[in-house]
Amino acid sequence: MEQIVSDSKPPKYEISKKILNTVGKTNAEYGLIQEGDRVLLGLSGGKDSILLACILERMQRHAPFKFEFKALTIHYGLGEKFDWLSELCQRQGIPHEIFYTTIADTIKEKRREGSSYCSFCSRMRRGSLYSKALEMGYNKVAIAHHLDDAAESFFMNLTYNGSLRSMTPIYRAENGLQVIRPLIHIRERQSIDFVKSQNIPTAPDCNCPAKQPDSDKPPIARLATKNFLSQMEETNPEFFKSLKNAFCNLHAESFSDKSYLKI
């Protein structure tokens, strides 16, 4: 009996029009991805980076300009298993590569006791991503930070570092690469809704070095900031909308930094 082989491809995940419209407007306003760009996406396997990978795949099919992109997963050296993520990317038509590192060992060896796991790990992970981007000839690196991340960064810098600083949609790193954040005006809950509605698996928390059993510095400050922001939104449902507008409407001369004073 002749075997019938189906040519049908796995269905693409459905992304809400609201998300696509927001990302499209952000891309147009800040020129994040343009004709001829080669974009390397940091794909952790979390909800946000999976959403961004799916958006970039869709943009590549429908945008009126041509660009290349690839998803790169940084392996910490904790025995993480990413077969499921590679399979997910293959089914969705997302080019994907795993970059094996010894970040976990380096953290244990060089991180000062009591210092933040997250900031040290973030610098090392970003450095690995940048190195691979330069090595493979990409001119832009895409990071899946969203509006909640920007808000948390702002209030953590305000509370713990004494500075007014957040996350920009695009900036140029010292090595010449442009770093872009296409999800910067997307809420975290939209990423959550996306993976839940499409039944998409995500990376487990045990992949995070800060959540290892021997961690002496869990991310308490970030959790406290997240809880604070949640309380603010409960009090004022328009809080994040106002915050997003504030990030786009700076009045630097109203502070005490002498370089901005009009005198």
Side-chain angles (χ1 to χ4, degrees):
M1 182 175 179
E2 183 179 354
Q3 184 177 6
I4 299 175
V5 180
S6 175
D7 291 331
S8 62
K9 297 180 180 180
K12 302 292 186 183
Y13 293 130
E14 294 183 9
I15 308 170
S16 75
K17 290 183 178 179
K18 186 173 183 179
I19 290 177
L20 293 173
N21 287 340
T22 300
V23 173
K25 290 178 181 178
T26 303
N27 189 72
E29 182 174 1
Y30 298 101
L32 303 185
I33 302 176
Q34 303 179 52
E35 181 74 36
D37 279 338
R38 302 191 72 234
V39 181
L40 187 65
L41 163 67
L43 179 63
S44 68
K47 62 189 185 311
D48 308 311
S49 61
I50 289 178
L51 171 59
L52 182 52
C54 293
I55 289 174
L56 292 181
E57 189 278 331
R58 191 183 188 282
M59 282 181 63
Q60 197 173 49
R61 287 185 287 116
H62 295 287
F65 50 85
K66 302 294 183 182
F67 71 96
E68 298 178 35
F69 91 97
K70 185 176 188 176
L72 184 77
T73 299
I74 304 296
H75 192 287
Y76 294 117
L78 290 168
E80 309 98 296
K81 302 297 183 182
F82 287 116
D83 293 347
W84 65 273
L85 186 57
S86 296
E87 293 172 4
L88 183 155
C89 288
Q90 185 176 13
R91 291 196 304 269
Q92 294 299 307
I94 299 167
H96 179 233
E97 179 180 334
I98 300 173
F99 179 35
Y100 293 88
T101 74
T102 57
I103 286 177
D105 289 339
T106 304
I107 290 174
K108 292 178 182 179
E109 178 185 347
K110 296 186 176 181
R111 186 185 65 88
R112 296 191 307 275
E113 184 177 352
S115 64
S116 170
Y117 255 87
C118 294
S119 59
F120 191 85
C121 181
S122 177
R123 289 195 300 272
M124 294 196 64
R125 186 175 66 247
R126 193 72 59 86
S128 297
L129 189 60
Y130 287 178
S131 295
K132 288 297 287 185
L134 291 171
E135 177 187 319
M136 296 189 290
Y138 290 88
N139 67 310
K140 290 183 178 179
V141 169
I143 306 294
H145 289 139
H146 45 63
L147 183 58
D148 294 63
D149 289 323
E152 290 167 20
S153 178
F154 175 79
F155 281 100
M156 287 180 71
N157 275 301
L158 175 68
T159 305
Y160 299 102
N161 298 330
S163 65
L164 295 179
R165 184 176 182 178
S166 185
M167 295 178 172
T168 180
I170 182 171
Y171 69 92
R172 188 175 296 278
E174 292 181 1
N175 58 17
L177 289 169
Q178 283 190 309
V179 181
I180 60 174
R181 296 183 172 107
L183 302 185
I184 199 63
H185 293 155
I186 293 293
R187 292 297 309 278
E188 182 177 24
R189 64 187 178 212
Q190 292 176 282
S191 294
I192 295 172
D193 289 344
F194 168 69
V195 295
K196 284 186 175 180
S197 68
Q198 303 300 300
N199 295 314
I200 301 173
T202 57
D205 286 344
C206 60
N207 282 353
C208 175
K211 295 184 179 180
Q212 296 304 297
D214 60 349
S215 171
D216 63 345
K217 188 69 174 180
I220 297 174
R222 181 167 293 277
L223 179 60
T225 303
K226 187 181 287 287
N227 290 338
F228 162 74
L229 292 173
S230 178
Q231 293 170 5
M232 291 293 291
E233 189 169 23
E234 286 183 12
T235 304
N236 174 18
E238 298 294 311
F239 176 69
F240 272 87
K241 180 179 179 180
S242 179
L243 194 59
K244 182 254 183 182
N245 291 336
F247 287 162
C248 301
N249 184 28
L250 301 181
H251 295 268
E253 72 280 359
S254 68
F255 293 93
S256 299
D257 188 329
K258 290 190 294 184
S259 60
Y260 292 101
L261 296 182
K262 296 180 179 179
I263 53 177

